[in-house]
Amino acid sequence: SQSQSQSQSQSSTSLNMSNDSRREAISKLFTNTAVATTAAAVSFLSAPQSASARREPLPEYLTEPTDEFKESERQRDEFRRQQLIVKRKFNTILDRLTFESQTE
């Protein structure tokens, strides 16, 4: 009985040590992550502002769609219409097979 209680206390002690080492590892991980994040933020904020001033201006947005875009829209619309025709035909056949036909 005494040897059992000793082995139980030893195993609980080793579990506590294992939990402590896990806690320490997690604590170190978060500490290192926080340090790295802080260092990255400091380097970003201390970057020279003149680099952004030398950058080329962003392109302007189009006010009207291009001819290529209009053509692609027309093609997409045509394709959608063709697909709707095919879908209607398919649904008609499927309805007939489902509700009317007794042999198919």
Side-chain angles (χ1 to χ4, degrees), residues 25-95:
I26 291 173
S27 176
K28 286 179 185 177
L29 174 69
F30 283 124
T31 302
N32 291 341
T33 304
V35 168
T37 304
T38 305
V42 167
S43 68
F44 176 75
L45 293 174
S46 65
Q49 298 298 323
S50 61
S52 63
R54 286 184 265 143
R55 205 177 338 162
E56 292 183 27
L58 295 174
E60 294 182 27
Y61 288 102
L62 298 174
T63 56
E64 292 293 320
T66 62
D67 291 336
E68 294 85 15
F69 179 78
K70 290 177 183 177
E71 176 62 22
S72 68
E73 283 291 305
R74 186 194 63 75
Q75 290 174 353
R76 277 190 284 273
D77 188 48
E78 182 180 328
F79 178 77
R80 285 186 201 119
R81 289 176 191 207
Q82 290 173 356
Q83 289 300 305
L84 283 174
I85 292 169
V86 169
K87 184 178 178 179
R88 277 190 218 122
K89 288 179 182 178
F90 179 78
N91 283 338
T92 302
I93 293 170
L94 187 62
D95 285 346

Side-chain angles (χ1 to χ4, degrees), residues 14-33:
S14 66
L15 283 176
N16 286 338
M17 290 175 62
S18 144
N19 285 339
D20 289 343
S21 64
R22 286 183 184 155
R23 286 187 183 121
E24 288 173 11
I26 291 173
S27 176
K28 286 179 185 177
L29 174 69
F30 283 124
T31 302
N32 291 341
T33 304

